[in-house]
Every structure is written in C-alpha cells, then in structure tokens.
Amino acid sequence: MDGNLSKIKASRFPDEFGRFGKYGGRYVPEILMPAVTELTQEYEKVKNDLQFIKILAQLHSQYSGRPNPLTFADRLTAVTGGAKIYLKREDLNHTGAHKINNVLGQLLLAQRMGKTRIIAETGAGQHGVATATVAAKFGLDCHVYMGEVDTLRQRLNVFRMQYLGAEVIPVKTGSRTLKDAINEAIRDWVTNVKNTFYCIGSVVGMHPYPMIVRDFQSIIGQETRQQHQAAEGRLPDAVVACVGGGSNAMGMFYPFLDDKKVKLFGVEAGGRGNDEGEHAATLSLGEPGILHGMFTYMLQTEDGQVADVHSISAGLDYSGVGPEHSWLKDTGRACYTAVDDAQALEAMALLARTEGIIPALESAHAVALAVQLAGKMGREESLVICLSGRGDKDMESVFDLAQKGGADE
Amino acid sequence: MNDLRERLVEKISKKQKILSIYLTAGFPEADSTVSLLRAIAENGADLIELGVPFSDPQADGPVIQQASQKALDAGMRVAKVFSILQEFRCFSTVPVILMGYANPFMKYGWRRCAEEAAAAGANGFIIPDLPPEESGDLTRLCRTNGLDQIYLITPVTPVTRIELINSLTSGFIYAVSITGVTGERRELPLETIQFLRRLRKTSRHPVLVGFGVSNQETAKSLAAESDGVIIGSAIIRLIAESKNTGEACEKVKAFVWMIKDSLGEIA
C-alpha cells in the first residue's frame, strides 16, 4: 500500500482501521477502547453536521480572529534573493498559535458528547493555554498535564493557564517533558473515562486523534490555498512547517496532499547534535515503533525504550511524531529535515529584524529551512512558511541565552 | 509444554481460588529476581506475571512505574528476562506469563520473542497496549509456539466486545476491577462486584481479577466473585521497602501466605 501515491488519493486516509499505510492504529489499553470508538462515531457525526460547522466557523471568525493573513515577507525575500516568501500568520490567532484551531473543534465536540471535564497535555504550554482558554469560554472544567521541566522553562504559560481557571499538574515521572505529560493524561483518561474528554494537542495518539486534529487544523492549508491563489494566481511551489508532533504541519499540508506540484517540507528539531537525547529529529533519525497508542517513527533506544529528546523549543521536543507524517515520509510525498538550535535562534532574529515579527522558537525552525530553500529557488517561484506561533513566550529563555552568549545551555 | 489452562481448571474444579502475583523483572536488581520468583512460587502462588519493564508504562500507577524505571536503570532487558525465566524453571513449574508493553517486544522482534519466551519456559503474554485489533502477528506466533495470549476486560467493556475477547483470549481472562491504572486501593466500588457477576456468567475462561487488589479484604471480596485475584503493586511496595533481597523474600513470602490463607477461607 505504501509507496505508490500516483494511483491513490493521499487525502482519503486514514482507512477504517485508523491507518495511514502501515502507520497509526490503536495501541491502547482495553479500558480506552469504548471511549475511542465512541469518539470516532461522534466525530463522524459532527464532521458533516452543518450546525456544528457553522458554530465552529463563527468561533473562528469572532473569537480567534480567522482568517488570519498571508503576509508577503518582502524584506526576508530580498535577503535570500530567491523565491517569494509568504508567512501564514497563525501567530495572530487568539492565544498566539495554531493550537486554538484544534481546541475549538475538540471542545465543541466534547460539549456535544456531554463531557464536562477536560484534560490535556502540553509541552511548550501553547496547547495548554489554548485548552484553558476555550474551556473558560465554554464553562468546562480543565486540567492540564505538563512536564515539570517544561513548567520551569515556560512558567509564564503555567500562570496563564491558572489565571484562566485551569489546574496545571506538573508531571514528575520519566524525562518530565511532553511524552510524560501525555502518559499522565492517558492515565487520567483511563481513570475518569466516563465523564472526561481528552483534548490531545497534536496529530498524535491513537485513532481517531491524528485524523481529528488534522481535520481541525486543515483550516490553515485551506486558507493558505485561497490566499495564495488571490495573491499569485496559483498555488505555492512549496510549503514549510515545523514538526514536533506535527499538527501545524499536517494542517498546512493536508489540503495540498493531492496537488503533487506543491512540495511539502517538514522541519524537525536538530537540537545540539545527532546523539541520542540531543535532538528531537524523529523522522530524520528515528525508526518505527509503538508509542502513545500509535505505530509511527519514534526515537528509541536499541532496547525499544523511549529515548530522551532535546530541543531549544519546548514545543518540538517529542520522541514521537504523527503517524500521517511517517507515511508521508515513506511515500516521499513530504520531505523532512532537521534544523539545529543555533540555526533556529538565528532565523528567529532574522525574521524579527527583517519583518518585525518575532516567531515562536518552534516556527523559527521552519523559517530557517525556508530561507535556505528560497535561496535555491527561482524568483518567479514562491513558498509559504507556516508561522505557527508568536515568540513572546520564548523571550525570557532567549534573553537568558543571550546573557550566557550562545545556544548551549 | 504449556499447561496453564489445565492447572487453572483443575484448581477451579477443586473449588480453590487462584492467586496470581506480579513481579517486575530486574527490580530492584537483576540478581534478586530468581530468588523473589521462588519465594512467590514456593509459598502458594498459582501463577506469576513477570513484568518486562518499559520506560512509558501507560496502564500502570506510580508503584510499578518506579519499579520499571529502576529495573531499566539497573540494566534489565528483554533477553535478560528470558534468561531469568530459564533459571527459574530449574526450580519451579509454576506458570509464568510475561507482562509488558508492545514496543520493547516489537523492537526485539515478535518471532524471536515468541520463540525465545517459549524456549525459556514462559506460558504466555499479557500486553496491555496490544488490543485484539492490533495483535495479529503475536496471536499467530503464540499459537505456533504453544503460548497463551491473555486479554483484559474492564467494567466499561461492552457486551459485544466481551464476546470478541472471549473468543480470542486463551488461558484466562484478566478482569480489570476498576477504571484506572494499576495500584493499591483501600476499597473497591460496588459496581465492581456487579461487573464481575455479569462477566462470570458469560466467560468461557477462568476469570482472574486485578488492579486495586492490595490486602486480605479486597482479595477475599473479589475472589468470591471470580476464580481468583492478581496482586502487583502491593508486592512491589513490600520489595521497595526492604533493605536487601533476603528481607524482600521474607516479606513477600509472608504476604503470599497471608493472602493464600484468606483465599482458603472462601474456597
């Protein structure tokens, strides 16, 4: 089934078993089986429900500020001397990142399902803040699991969540980062499965989550298509997005999957080097395995234990990746490369000084690759960067690094 | 030769309750595992679940999580679990089920896992994150290697799914007493009893209850509604509280005796 995308429509996946080629599936404790089955059924119902679609569209336009613009980055384009660079401005959404697209959809679904207690995991805190925000708006009870290491490097986001009325639970098991926060959220879900909705933050986990999150994030790519069409009279030649779990990338890629001429680039966190524990370049350096309910590329030890990861960006340091990305990699439909901490910091500064936009460190990884790519492309070509979030949350850690004089902690 | 089911059925026919004990392989260190297995087997356990440690054990509570991490830090690996089991088989015929998460087994290779497990004297596998839908490879390999594959049924499992699991499980059914992760509970909800009564009416296999069984009271009340109980976290906690392997073996021995004794009262 893999490898032959010329004959099949890439956009029709996952199949009924939640598979993208051989990736995906449902590797979950038995206790969650009824919950994921119910979630799949309820999602299939609302997916084409005009009332649901209408309410979600209203929230997008009146609450989170969509459509956000596609900004032509003229000064950044001039720096590279190559392809025209456009920025899809997810940083301008309410709460400052693409995460709210997914949360609005999922919590609307939770309401439909009569679930009043919401749990979520968060890495950088962006998904946690988005969940706490929408939970406040909808009047839902919200609990966010966050690795203890992340609570320290993103303490302002911890306060934001608490200020919005959510409970933040620091996770002290394992490496105390995103993967452990997901484990704890799953344990909570296993325990409180009857009244609890797990609002997962990326295109990861067991079926149907990779599909649901992708669908709710696809508004990024849908708007980009229209906006680029309006600006250039055609589709872009390439789109570039950072990949941790991979939700902003999947949201950007999905509406372009069947347009084979649009090249898709995913950018992973190269961290400090290629040794185990020094990076989070799952697709570039990992191999397939089972993690968090899915079969997907993951970073693991030779004994099959989940490896530790590092990135300067708290939103990218995840040992796994969405299964659809694994499939897009194997089929060759998307290309994945890694950008290291220092390159990301440099790109962050470059975008700040040429365009007056401070990107999130996550998004800065995409900027770094896009600048390289644009330089090798013709001036008549164009590429779109998914600017997944704004960099305010990272100012404190960038300030600390500047004081120390380098990317090495 | 895998005689797990015969042994369990024989116990049940004599109106005796089954006691299954869980132990994390390599906790607190590799050298203590055979001694602890013997202490468990020689003092009344009918069945042992030997935990193969994983870094991210989603279905387990804090006690087993920490034991797993400690075992990994001390160097426990899949191949080493097989050699421990092989050594234990020199002393005992008590059935041993390997309990672990899918990824370390898959990385080792499903075929190699099934063949080496059978050769080492294992009776089967319980893999909590490998539901029937995802376990095709292993199911085939278990059959060819004479191993049982045990599935879980929980209080929220619908009737149609109970039927599916009934048809796929071999050896016994692992009934999860509550919604939640492994760990000790002071008391169990009333609905647990109702769930077990429902399950027992339809089950074509012995039903053993695990999760939350921690003392004589919980063991007795759950065994009364099933064919026996599975105890894990309570044992791991006793070992964690011990200063050395000798002390751990003594504590485990006393605990297994005590539970066995209370199960005898309801037989």
Side-chain angles (χ1 to χ4, degrees):
Chain A
M1 192 186 289
D2 289 321
N4 195 358
L5 274 188
S6 54
K7 292 199 190 106
I8 48 173
K9 269 198 142 188
S11 59
R12 71 175 174 84
F13 287 87
D15 65 17
E16 62 192 298
F17 306 106
R19 297 274 177 179
F20 304 90
K22 63 182 175 183
Y23 298 106
R26 265 182 189 160
Y27 297 86
V28 291
E30 185 57 43
I31 201 150
L32 290 180
M33 270 303 190
V36 294
T37 307
E38 184 196 8
L39 181 61
T40 310
Q41 287 162 353
E42 292 294 320
Y43 176 67
E44 292 297 338
K45 271 191 240 162
V46 302
K47 204 162 88 172
N48 302 310
D49 179 308
L50 292 179
Q51 186 63 16
F52 185 89
I53 295 167
K54 192 175 141 200
I55 295 170
L56 185 57
Q58 263 170 8
L59 285 162
H60 278 320
S61 67
Q62 290 162 30
Y63 188 66
S64 66
R66 299 202 78 94
N68 56 44
L70 184 71
T71 305
F72 176 49
D74 58 330
R75 296 214 331 120
L76 184 65
T77 299
V79 169
T80 73
K84 284 186 175 179
I85 299 175
Y86 284 91
L87 308 169
K88 180 56 180 161
R89 300 294 303 282
E90 295 301 309
D91 62 315
L92 294 179
N93 295 340
H94 181 39
T95 72
H98 68 291
K99 294 291 187 187
I100 198 157
N101 305 334
N102 165 46
V103 174
L104 282 170
Q106 283 200 51
L107 293 203
L108 211 49
L109 179 56
Q111 267 191 329
R112 279 281 177 109
M113 293 172 69
K115 309 270 180 179
T116 53
R117 181 175 179 273
I118 305 300
I119 55 167
E121 84 296 333
T122 195
Q126 296 302 90
H127 174 60
V129 167
T131 309
T133 299
V134 179
K137 172 73 177 159
F138 290 3
L140 299 167
D141 177 28
C142 180
H143 308 265
V144 181
Y145 289 91
M146 187 171 186
E148 195 183 34
V149 171
D150 293 332
T151 63
L152 298 174
R153 48 181 184 177
Q154 299 286 347
R155 55 187 182 174
L156 198 57
N157 271 345
V158 174
F159 183 68
R160 283 169 82 191
M161 288 183 266
Q162 289 165 338
Y163 199 76
L164 289 159
E167 181 197 13
V168 179
I169 306 140
V171 175
K172 296 175 182 176
T173 52
S175 59
R176 294 173 293 142
T177 59
L178 180 57
K179 81 167 172 76
D180 310 286
I182 295 176
N183 287 335
E184 278 309 308
I186 291 174
R187 288 184 186 114
D188 181 313
W189 199 25
V190 161
T191 309
N192 302 298
V193 64
K194 287 171 195 161
N195 71 340
T196 296
F197 187 96
Y198 180 18
C199 179
I200 208 162
S202 193
V203 286
V204 300
M206 63 297 284
H207 179 65
Y209 280 111
M211 170 180 76
I212 290 181
V213 178
R214 175 201 69 193
D215 289 355
F216 287 141
Q217 289 294 1
S218 290
I219 193 160
I220 302 173
Q222 285 157 10
E223 286 180 8
T224 300
R225 279 180 77 96
Q226 289 171 5
Q227 291 167 325
H228 194 277
Q229 198 82 45
E232 296 286 332
R234 60 187 182 85
L235 294 180
D237 298 285
V239 297
V240 185
C242 64
V243 177
S247 71
N248 87 83
M250 247 1 278
M252 177 59 100
F253 291 177
Y254 186 65
F256 291 106
L257 279 189
D258 298 328
D259 302 298
K260 304 285 159 58
K261 283 184 187 158
V262 181
K263 297 196 169 50
L264 312 174
F265 293 93
V267 190
E268 299 189 295
R272 295 180 289 228
N274 286 356
D275 291 343
E276 185 185 307
E278 294 294 305
H279 62 84
T282 309
L283 290 159
S284 310
L285 298 168
E287 59 182 313
I290 297 166
L291 174 68
H292 295 143
M294 58 183 164
F295 180 61
T296 191
Y297 277 83
M298 61 183 276
L299 292 166
Q300 53 181 314
T301 67
E302 54 180 21
D303 187 45
Q305 309 299 332
V306 184
D308 285 340
V309 286
H310 160 82
S311 168
I312 191 166
S313 134
L316 296 183
D317 62 347
Y318 177 48
S319 325
V321 67
E324 194 165 7
H325 284 296
S326 295
W327 179 64
L328 293 177
K329 174 192 157 79
D330 282 9
T331 56
R333 178 64 190 94
C335 290
Y336 297 89
T337 44
V339 154
D340 69 24
D341 288 352
Q343 291 170 307
L345 277 169
E346 204 180 302
M348 185 181 197
L350 178 65
L351 192 69
R353 284 162 208 174
T354 53
E355 296 295 333
I357 297 167
I358 302 177
L361 273 168
E362 292 79 9
S363 323
H365 285 72
V367 174
L369 183 80
V371 167
Q372 290 175 26
L373 286 173
K376 295 176 204 154
M377 293 164 71
R379 285 168 189 252
E380 70 292 353
E381 295 186 286
S382 73
L383 70 76
V384 179
I385 300 171
C386 185
L387 206 74
S388 57
R390 66 177 187 226
D392 306 44
K393 68 179 177 61
D394 297 312
M395 283 295 96
E396 195 183 337
S397 48
V398 173
F399 175 79
D400 289 345
L401 283 170
Q403 298 293 94
K404 283 187 224 154
D408 287 302
E409 284 165 41
Chain B
M1 195 49 216
N2 182 11
D3 59 351
L4 171 64
R5 195 187 165 91
E6 288 76 40
R7 280 174 176 252
L8 300 185
V9 169
E10 193 194 336
K11 278 263 165 193
I12 295 165
S13 70
K14 289 183 191 157
K15 304 238 181 290
Q16 292 170 344
K17 296 294 177 182
I18 294 154
L19 174 59
S20 177
I21 300 288
Y22 167 91
L23 177 69
T24 304
F27 173 73
E29 59 213 5
D31 286 348
S32 52
T33 303
V34 172
S35 312
L36 286 165
L37 285 172
R38 289 187 63 187
I40 293 166
E42 289 161 16
N43 290 288
D46 303 297
L47 172 64
I48 294 173
E49 282 160 37
L50 185 57
V52 180
F54 180 50
S55 55
D56 295 66
Q58 277 168 26
D60 285 303
V63 172
I64 292 176
Q65 275 179 61
Q66 280 158 23
S68 301
Q69 195 53 53
K70 197 153 185 206
L72 288 172
D73 293 345
M76 190 44 52
R77 300 289 179 265
V78 173
K80 228 166 173 173
V81 176
F82 295 151
S83 65
I84 285 173
L85 177 55
Q86 200 152 25
E87 193 184 333
F88 171 68
R89 276 286 171 254
C90 303
F91 300 100
S92 173
T93 57
V94 170
V96 174
I97 304 292
L98 297 170
M99 184 161 190
Y101 291 80
N103 199 57
F105 292 132
M106 195 173 68
K107 176 84 177 153
Y108 196 76
W110 288 120
R111 174 176 298 279
R112 201 174 148 208
C113 249
E115 287 170 358
E116 291 182 21
N123 296 72
F125 286 100
I126 301 177
I127 305 180
D129 59 345
L130 203 66
E133 287 83 349
E134 307 290 1
S135 54
D137 289 351
L138 183 63
T139 305
R140 234 178 6 260
L141 288 161
C142 278
R143 281 197 193 125
T144 51
N145 287 283
L147 295 166
D148 284 314
Q149 192 178 1
I150 290 102
Y151 290 110
L152 288 76
I153 289 180
T154 79
V156 296
T157 308
V159 177
T160 49
R161 205 171 159 79
I162 289 179
E163 203 34 57
L164 170 81
I165 294 169
N166 235 326
S167 68
L168 292 171
T169 203
S170 59
F172 63 92
I173 279 175
Y174 191 131
V176 176
S177 68
I178 36 136
T179 61
V181 292
T182 60
E184 300 165 74
R185 309 285 196 284
R186 250 186 235 123
E187 50 192 54
L188 292 157
L190 186 66
E191 56 195 78
T192 300
I193 303 297
Q194 293 159 350
F195 156 63
L196 290 173
R197 285 185 186 162
R198 272 202 319 272
L199 178 58
R200 249 187 132 190
K201 272 187 205 152
T202 52
S203 176
R204 298 193 291 276
H205 305 274
V207 174
L208 305 189
V209 195
F211 285 44
V213 191
S214 56
N215 52 32
Q216 288 170 293
E217 286 70 42
T218 45
K220 268 165 75 172
S221 63
L222 291 174
E225 303 295 340
S226 66
D227 298 308
V229 293
I230 302 164
I231 303 185
S233 297
I235 289 278
I236 299 296
R237 187 173 48 76
L238 287 180
I239 299 169
E241 285 166 1
S242 304
K243 286 193 280 296
N244 51 47
T245 305
E247 186 185 327
C249 286
E250 285 309 310
K251 281 188 179 165
V252 165
K253 181 178 163 179
F255 183 82
V256 173
W257 263 111
M258 178 184 81
I259 300 291
K260 189 75 188 169
D261 195 46
S262 53
L263 292 185
E265 291 171 23
I266 54 163

